[in-house]
Amino acid sequence: MTEAKKNIVLKSHENIVKGAQDVREYRGLELTNGLRILLVSDPTTDQSAVALDVKVGSFMDPWEIPGLAHLCDHMLFMGTAKYPSENEYCKFLASHAGESNAYTGTDYANYHFDVQPEQLPGAIDRFVQFFLSPLFTESATEREVCAVDSEHKNILNNDSRRVKQVYRYRSKPGHDFGKFGTVPQRVVQFKHYVLLHRTYEFDAIENKKVTRKVWNDPPYGPEQLGKKVEPVPIKDSKWLSISFPFPDLDSEYKSQPGYYISHLIQHEAPGSLLSELKRRGWVSELESGYHTPASALLTEDPRSVETGPMS
Ligand SMILES: [Zn+2]
Protein backbone atom coordinates (compact mmCIF):
# COMPACT_ATOMS: atom_id res chain seq x y z
CA MET A 1 0.00 0.00 0.00
CA THR A 2 1.45 3.37 -0.94
CA GLU A 3 1.75 6.26 1.50
CA ALA A 4 -0.94 8.17 -0.38
CA LYS A 5 -3.39 5.25 -0.10
CA LYS A 6 -2.73 4.82 3.63
CA ASN A 7 -3.95 8.33 4.29
CA ILE A 8 -7.44 7.64 3.04
CA VAL A 9 -7.95 4.47 5.09
CA LEU A 10 -9.38 5.19 8.51
CA LYS A 11 -9.62 1.56 9.61
CA SER A 12 -8.68 -1.80 8.17
CA HIS A 13 -10.37 -5.03 9.29
CA GLU A 14 -8.35 -8.18 8.58
CA ASN A 15 -10.29 -10.69 10.68
CA ILE A 16 -13.42 -11.06 8.58
CA VAL A 17 -15.35 -14.15 9.72
CA LYS A 18 -15.83 -16.65 6.88
CA GLY A 19 -16.97 -20.21 6.32
CA ALA A 20 -14.56 -23.11 6.83
CA GLN A 21 -14.72 -24.05 3.13
CA ASP A 22 -14.22 -20.48 1.93
CA VAL A 23 -10.77 -20.11 0.35
CA ARG A 24 -11.20 -16.44 -0.55
CA GLU A 25 -9.45 -13.70 1.39
CA TYR A 26 -11.30 -10.69 2.77
CA ARG A 27 -10.38 -7.27 4.04
CA GLY A 28 -12.69 -4.55 5.31
CA LEU A 29 -11.78 -0.89 4.85
CA GLU A 30 -13.30 2.28 6.21
CA LEU A 31 -12.18 5.34 4.30
CA THR A 32 -11.79 8.75 5.89
CA ASN A 33 -14.76 9.95 3.83
CA GLY A 34 -17.02 7.34 5.47
CA LEU A 35 -17.08 4.88 2.58
CA ARG A 36 -17.02 1.26 3.75
CA ILE A 37 -15.49 -1.32 1.44
CA LEU A 38 -15.22 -5.11 1.52
CA LEU A 39 -12.35 -6.39 -0.61
CA VAL A 40 -12.55 -10.03 -1.72
CA SER A 41 -9.63 -11.87 -3.27
CA ASP A 42 -10.25 -15.07 -5.18
CA PRO A 43 -7.28 -16.05 -7.38
CA THR A 44 -9.27 -18.89 -8.97
CA THR A 45 -11.87 -16.67 -10.67
CA ASP A 46 -11.36 -15.21 -14.14
CA GLN A 47 -13.60 -12.15 -13.61
CA SER A 48 -13.35 -9.07 -11.41
CA ALA A 49 -16.48 -7.48 -10.02
CA VAL A 50 -17.64 -4.45 -8.05
CA ALA A 51 -20.97 -3.77 -6.32
CA LEU A 52 -21.89 -0.48 -4.68
CA ASP A 53 -24.92 0.20 -2.50
CA VAL A 54 -26.40 3.69 -2.15
CA LYS A 55 -28.75 4.06 0.79
CA VAL A 56 -31.48 5.81 -1.14
CA GLY A 57 -34.48 4.12 -2.75
CA SER A 58 -38.11 4.52 -3.71
CA PHE A 59 -39.16 5.35 -0.13
CA MET A 60 -37.35 8.68 -0.56
CA ASP A 61 -39.23 9.58 -3.75
CA PRO A 62 -41.14 12.82 -3.26
CA TRP A 63 -44.84 11.89 -3.00
CA GLU A 64 -45.65 13.90 -6.11
CA ILE A 65 -42.89 12.27 -8.20
CA PRO A 66 -43.13 8.49 -7.83
CA GLY A 67 -40.30 6.63 -9.57
CA LEU A 68 -37.67 9.34 -9.19
CA ALA A 69 -35.08 7.13 -7.45
CA HIS A 70 -35.57 4.49 -10.15
CA LEU A 71 -35.12 7.14 -12.86
CA CYS A 72 -31.89 8.30 -11.21
CA ASP A 73 -30.52 4.78 -11.39
CA HIS A 74 -31.21 4.76 -15.14
CA MET A 75 -29.73 8.22 -15.67
CA LEU A 76 -26.32 7.39 -14.23
CA PHE A 77 -25.72 5.15 -17.25
CA MET A 78 -26.44 8.01 -19.66
CA GLY A 79 -23.15 9.88 -19.58
CA THR A 80 -20.88 11.59 -17.08
CA ALA A 81 -18.68 14.68 -17.32
CA LYS A 82 -15.56 12.56 -17.93
CA TYR A 83 -17.28 10.04 -20.24
CA PRO A 84 -20.13 12.02 -21.81
CA SER A 85 -21.25 9.53 -24.44
CA GLU A 86 -24.33 7.55 -23.40
CA ASN A 87 -23.69 4.00 -22.26
CA GLU A 88 -19.90 4.44 -22.54
CA TYR A 89 -19.60 2.38 -19.35
CA CYS A 90 -21.72 -0.48 -20.74
CA LYS A 91 -19.84 -0.45 -24.06
CA PHE A 92 -16.51 -0.58 -22.25
CA LEU A 93 -17.63 -3.53 -20.15
CA ALA A 94 -19.15 -5.37 -23.12
CA SER A 95 -15.91 -5.09 -25.09
CA HIS A 96 -14.02 -6.67 -22.17
CA ALA A 97 -16.23 -9.68 -21.43
CA GLY A 98 -18.17 -7.85 -18.74
CA GLU A 99 -21.67 -6.70 -17.97
CA SER A 100 -23.46 -4.47 -15.52
CA ASN A 101 -26.82 -3.83 -13.95
CA ALA A 102 -28.52 -1.76 -11.27
CA TYR A 103 -31.74 -1.87 -9.32
CA THR A 104 -33.62 0.42 -6.99
CA GLY A 105 -35.10 -1.00 -3.81
CA THR A 106 -37.11 0.56 -0.99
CA ASP A 107 -34.28 2.28 0.87
CA TYR A 108 -31.28 1.46 -1.30
CA ALA A 109 -30.08 1.25 -4.88
CA ASN A 110 -27.41 -1.18 -6.02
CA TYR A 111 -24.98 -0.81 -8.93
CA HIS A 112 -22.70 -3.64 -10.00
CA PHE A 113 -20.53 -4.91 -12.83
CA ASP A 114 -18.00 -7.56 -13.75
CA VAL A 115 -15.12 -7.38 -16.24
CA GLN A 116 -11.81 -9.01 -17.19
CA PRO A 117 -9.39 -8.45 -14.26
CA GLU A 118 -6.87 -6.48 -16.32
CA GLN A 119 -9.62 -4.02 -17.31
CA LEU A 120 -10.76 -3.37 -13.73
CA PRO A 121 -9.04 0.04 -13.35
CA GLY A 122 -10.71 1.37 -16.54
CA ALA A 123 -14.08 0.00 -15.45
CA ILE A 124 -13.82 1.53 -11.96
CA ASP A 125 -12.81 4.88 -13.45
CA ARG A 126 -16.01 4.92 -15.54
CA PHE A 127 -18.12 3.57 -12.67
CA VAL A 128 -16.90 6.15 -10.16
CA GLN A 129 -17.99 8.99 -12.44
CA PHE A 130 -21.61 7.89 -11.85
CA PHE A 131 -21.26 9.17 -8.32
CA LEU A 132 -19.20 12.26 -9.17
CA SER A 133 -20.62 13.93 -12.22
CA PRO A 134 -23.65 12.33 -13.93
CA LEU A 135 -24.88 14.56 -16.77
CA PHE A 136 -28.66 14.13 -16.44
CA THR A 137 -29.14 15.56 -19.94
CA GLU A 138 -32.61 16.61 -20.94
CA SER A 139 -32.89 14.30 -23.96
CA ALA A 140 -31.69 11.22 -22.08
CA THR A 141 -33.99 12.07 -19.19
CA GLU A 142 -37.02 12.11 -21.48
CA ARG A 143 -36.09 8.74 -22.95
CA GLU A 144 -35.37 7.15 -19.60
CA VAL A 145 -38.69 8.34 -18.18
CA CYS A 146 -40.22 6.26 -20.99
CA ALA A 147 -37.94 3.32 -20.16
CA VAL A 148 -38.97 3.38 -16.49
CA ASP A 149 -42.59 3.71 -17.55
CA SER A 150 -42.38 0.70 -19.83
CA GLU A 151 -40.76 -1.35 -17.04
CA HIS A 152 -43.75 -0.40 -14.94
CA LYS A 153 -46.21 -1.39 -17.69
CA ASN A 154 -44.49 -4.77 -18.01
CA ILE A 155 -45.38 -5.63 -14.42
CA LEU A 156 -48.91 -4.22 -14.45
CA ASN A 157 -50.30 -7.68 -15.15
CA ASN A 158 -48.22 -9.38 -12.49
CA ASP A 159 -50.64 -10.41 -9.73
CA SER A 160 -47.97 -10.71 -7.09
CA ARG A 161 -46.78 -7.14 -7.74
CA ARG A 162 -50.34 -5.86 -7.79
CA VAL A 163 -51.10 -7.45 -4.42
CA LYS A 164 -47.88 -6.03 -3.03
CA GLN A 165 -49.01 -2.58 -4.08
CA VAL A 166 -52.41 -3.15 -2.42
CA TYR A 167 -50.53 -3.86 0.82
CA ARG A 168 -48.65 -0.62 0.38
CA TYR A 169 -51.79 1.37 -0.25
CA ARG A 170 -53.39 -0.13 2.88
CA SER A 171 -50.64 1.25 5.14
CA LYS A 172 -50.98 4.37 7.31
CA PRO A 173 -51.79 7.47 5.29
CA GLY A 174 -48.59 9.41 4.65
CA HIS A 175 -46.22 6.55 5.52
CA ASP A 176 -43.39 6.08 3.01
CA PHE A 177 -44.34 2.40 2.77
CA GLY A 178 -47.43 3.48 0.85
CA LYS A 179 -45.40 4.98 -1.98
CA PHE A 180 -45.33 3.66 -5.47
CA GLY A 181 -42.06 2.63 -7.12
CA THR A 182 -42.23 3.77 -10.76
CA VAL A 183 -43.55 6.26 -13.32
CA PRO A 184 -42.24 9.75 -12.71
CA GLN A 185 -44.32 12.51 -14.29
CA ARG A 186 -41.70 15.20 -14.03
CA VAL A 187 -38.12 15.49 -12.94
CA VAL A 188 -36.61 17.89 -10.46
CA GLN A 189 -33.23 17.97 -8.84
CA PHE A 190 -33.11 15.12 -6.36
CA LYS A 191 -30.72 16.63 -3.87
CA HIS A 192 -30.86 13.91 -1.25
CA TYR A 193 -29.86 11.25 -3.76
CA VAL A 194 -26.99 13.21 -5.21
CA LEU A 195 -25.59 14.10 -1.80
CA LEU A 196 -25.69 10.51 -0.62
CA HIS A 197 -23.99 9.41 -3.79
CA ARG A 198 -21.17 11.68 -2.85
CA THR A 199 -20.66 10.01 0.51
CA TYR A 200 -20.29 6.73 -1.35
CA GLU A 201 -17.78 8.01 -3.84
CA PHE A 202 -14.30 6.67 -3.58
CA ASP A 203 -11.58 8.45 -1.65
CA ALA A 204 -11.60 11.77 -3.55
CA ILE A 205 -15.18 12.48 -2.60
CA GLU A 206 -16.18 14.82 0.16
CA ASN A 207 -18.40 13.38 2.89
CA LYS A 208 -21.47 15.63 2.98
CA LYS A 209 -22.60 14.08 6.27
CA VAL A 210 -26.08 13.31 4.99
CA THR A 211 -28.02 11.34 7.60
CA ARG A 212 -29.26 7.96 6.47
CA LYS A 213 -33.02 7.80 6.70
CA VAL A 214 -34.61 5.16 8.95
CA TRP A 215 -38.27 4.38 9.66
CA ASN A 216 -39.20 3.98 13.29
CA ASP A 217 -42.90 4.38 12.71
CA PRO A 218 -44.56 1.08 11.70
CA PRO A 219 -46.58 1.36 8.46
CA TYR A 220 -49.57 -0.44 10.04
CA GLY A 221 -51.38 0.75 13.17
CA PRO A 222 -54.58 -0.55 14.81
CA GLU A 223 -56.64 1.24 12.15
CA GLN A 224 -54.95 -0.63 9.30
CA LEU A 225 -54.72 -4.10 10.90
CA GLY A 226 -57.40 -6.78 11.02
CA LYS A 227 -58.63 -6.01 7.51
CA LYS A 228 -59.50 -8.37 4.69
CA VAL A 229 -58.96 -7.28 1.08
CA GLU A 230 -59.98 -9.25 -2.01
CA PRO A 231 -58.05 -8.06 -5.07
CA VAL A 232 -59.35 -9.43 -8.38
CA PRO A 233 -56.48 -11.38 -9.96
CA ILE A 234 -55.59 -11.23 -13.64
CA LYS A 235 -54.61 -14.87 -13.79
CA ASP A 236 -57.06 -17.60 -12.87
CA SER A 237 -55.42 -18.44 -9.55
CA LYS A 238 -56.50 -18.34 -5.93
CA TRP A 239 -54.17 -17.28 -3.14
CA LEU A 240 -54.62 -16.48 0.49
CA SER A 241 -52.01 -14.16 1.98
CA ILE A 242 -51.90 -13.46 5.71
CA SER A 243 -49.44 -11.02 7.23
CA PHE A 244 -48.34 -10.35 10.78
CA PRO A 245 -46.39 -7.21 11.66
CA PHE A 246 -43.21 -7.98 13.58
CA PRO A 247 -40.73 -5.83 15.47
CA ASP A 248 -37.67 -5.10 13.34
CA LEU A 249 -35.30 -8.06 13.70
CA ASP A 250 -32.29 -6.65 11.86
CA SER A 251 -30.31 -6.38 15.09
CA GLU A 252 -30.79 -10.16 15.53
CA TYR A 253 -29.09 -10.89 12.22
CA LYS A 254 -26.70 -13.42 13.76
CA SER A 255 -29.48 -15.74 14.97
CA GLN A 256 -32.13 -14.90 12.32
CA PRO A 257 -35.24 -15.64 14.44
CA GLY A 258 -37.55 -14.63 11.57
CA TYR A 259 -36.26 -17.53 9.48
CA TYR A 260 -36.93 -20.07 12.27
CA ILE A 261 -40.56 -18.98 12.40
CA SER A 262 -41.08 -19.00 8.64
CA HIS A 263 -39.24 -22.33 8.36
CA LEU A 264 -41.66 -23.92 10.84
CA ILE A 265 -44.75 -22.41 9.17
CA GLN A 266 -43.81 -23.71 5.72
CA HIS A 267 -42.49 -27.09 6.89
CA GLU A 268 -43.68 -30.00 4.73
CA ALA A 269 -43.12 -32.96 7.07
CA PRO A 270 -45.97 -35.15 8.46
CA GLY A 271 -47.82 -33.17 11.14
CA SER A 272 -47.01 -29.84 9.49
CA LEU A 273 -49.55 -27.15 8.66
CA LEU A 274 -49.12 -27.86 4.95
CA SER A 275 -49.63 -31.61 5.32
CA GLU A 276 -52.92 -31.05 7.16
CA LEU A 277 -54.16 -28.45 4.65
CA LYS A 278 -53.26 -30.81 1.80
CA ARG A 279 -54.99 -33.74 3.50
CA ARG A 280 -58.17 -31.65 3.51
CA GLY A 281 -57.64 -30.80 -0.16
CA TRP A 282 -57.56 -27.09 0.59
CA VAL A 283 -54.16 -26.05 -0.77
CA SER A 284 -51.44 -27.21 -3.14
CA GLU A 285 -48.56 -25.16 -1.75
CA LEU A 286 -47.61 -22.89 1.11
CA GLU A 287 -44.82 -20.37 1.51
CA SER A 288 -43.76 -18.19 4.37
CA GLY A 289 -41.08 -15.56 4.76
CA TYR A 290 -39.76 -12.82 6.96
CA HIS A 291 -38.44 -9.63 5.43
CA THR A 292 -37.66 -6.11 6.58
CA PRO A 293 -38.68 -3.68 3.84
CA ALA A 294 -36.42 -0.83 5.01
CA SER A 295 -33.96 0.22 7.70
CA ALA A 296 -35.57 -0.06 11.13
CA LEU A 297 -39.02 -0.27 9.63
CA LEU A 298 -40.77 -2.00 12.52
CA THR A 299 -42.61 -4.59 10.51
CA GLU A 300 -42.09 -7.47 8.15
CA ASP A 301 -42.96 -7.88 4.52
CA PRO A 302 -46.77 -7.91 4.41
CA ARG A 303 -46.73 -10.99 2.14
CA SER A 304 -45.35 -13.14 4.92
CA VAL A 305 -47.53 -16.23 4.81
CA GLU A 306 -49.13 -17.47 1.64
CA THR A 307 -51.06 -20.52 0.69
CA GLY A 308 -52.22 -21.42 -2.72
CA PRO A 309 -53.44 -22.23 -5.24
CA MET A 310 -56.57 -23.29 -3.38
CA SER A 311 -59.13 -25.66 -4.79
ZN1 LIG B 1 -35.25 0.21 -14.42
Side-chain angles (χ1 to χ4, degrees):
M1 192 178 278
T2 66
E3 206 52 45
K5 286 284 175 202
K6 262 182 195 166
N7 291 338
I8 64 153
V9 177
L10 193 65
K11 271 190 211 161
S12 180
H13 305 270
E14 307 293 334
N15 303 318
I16 306 281
V17 179
K18 62 176 188 176
Q21 307 297 320
D22 191 347
V23 295
R24 287 166 288 201
E25 289 182 51
Y26 299 86
R27 179 184 292 161
L29 297 177
E30 287 179 59
L31 305 190
T32 47
N33 63 5
L35 183 69
R36 293 195 290 173
I37 298 173
L38 178 65
L39 298 171
V40 185
S41 170
D42 182 352
T44 65
T45 184
D46 53 5
Q47 284 291 87
S48 291
V50 171
L52 185 147
D53 221 38
V54 181
K55 291 296 174 195
V56 176
S58 60
F59 278 12
M60 283 86 140
D61 283 345
W63 281 94
E64 67 281 14
I65 315 176
L68 189 56
H70 186 177
L71 177 68
C72 284
D73 115 30
H74 278 231
M75 289 306 297
L76 300 191
F77 291 76
M78 305 307 283
T80 60
K82 188 168 180 185
Y83 300 98
S85 74
E86 290 180 5
N87 292 312
E88 153 68 27
Y89 160 76
C90 295
K91 283 177 208 151
F92 179 86
L93 294 175
S95 61
H96 299 293
E99 57 184 4
S100 71
N101 211 337
Y103 55 88
T104 299
T106 51
D107 66 340
Y108 66 93
N110 184 279
Y111 301 83
H112 50 271
F113 69 83
D114 65 1
V115 72
Q116 290 167 338
E118 57 276 17
Q119 302 299 335
L120 186 62
I124 288 180
D125 190 43
R126 284 160 180 79
F127 184 65
V128 160
Q129 305 308 315
F130 279 25
F131 312 104
L132 278 177
S133 58
L135 291 180
F136 285 84
T137 63
E138 210 175 314
S139 80
T141 304
E142 270 175 35
R143 276 176 279 129
E144 292 310 307
V145 166
C146 296
V148 170
D149 190 41
S150 92
E151 278 180 38
H152 160 66
K153 289 200 171 101
N154 285 341
I155 57 165
L156 270 184
N157 291 333
N158 179 320
D159 281 323
S160 139
R161 295 294 289 262
R162 292 166 76 242
V163 168
K164 212 163 200 160
Q165 193 59 37
V166 170
Y167 270 111
R168 284 177 160 229
Y169 286 151
R170 302 289 302 181
S171 62
K172 276 182 201 163
H175 196 290
D176 286 333
F177 188 67
K179 284 179 179 169
F180 191 73
T182 42
V183 204
Q185 278 97 38
R186 66 189 170 91
V187 177
V188 294
Q189 192 185 9
F190 197 10
K191 289 195 184 104
H192 197 54
Y193 194 82
V194 174
L195 291 175
L196 265 176
H197 267 164
R198 288 188 170 271
T199 66
Y200 280 81
E201 179 44 84
F202 296 93
D203 57 88
I205 296 305
E206 180 192 352
N207 184 343
K208 299 268 186 176
K209 306 263 190 322
V210 174
T211 312
R212 183 178 163 189
K213 188 168 182 179
V214 295
W215 288 263
N216 290 311
D217 178 34
Y220 297 98
E223 303 255 298
Q224 287 75 36
L225 294 172
K227 298 278 194 287
K228 181 180 161 193
V229 182
E230 294 185 6
V232 179
I234 291 185
K235 283 191 179 165
D236 183 21
S237 66
K238 294 191 177 89
W239 290 77
L240 172 67
S241 170
I242 305 170
S243 80
F244 308 89
F246 262 55
D248 186 86
L249 296 177
D250 266 11
S251 59
E252 308 297 326
Y253 69 94
K254 283 187 180 166
S255 55
Q256 302 284 352
Y259 288 105
Y260 282 98
I261 297 168
S262 64
H263 177 77
L264 291 173
I265 292 175
Q266 66 182 348
H267 210 279
E268 300 184 356
S272 67
L273 176 62
L274 177 64
S275 69
E276 176 58 19
L277 293 173
K278 271 189 169 174
R279 190 187 66 76
R280 297 182 185 211
W282 288 1
V283 307
S284 57
E285 56 185 80
L286 183 149
E287 350 173 316
S288 166
Y290 169 81
H291 173 58
T292 306
S295 317
L297 190 58
L298 300 175
T299 184
E300 53 158 4
D301 182 352
R303 275 170 68 83
S304 57
V305 181
E306 293 177 344
T307 64
M310 296 181 294
S311 55

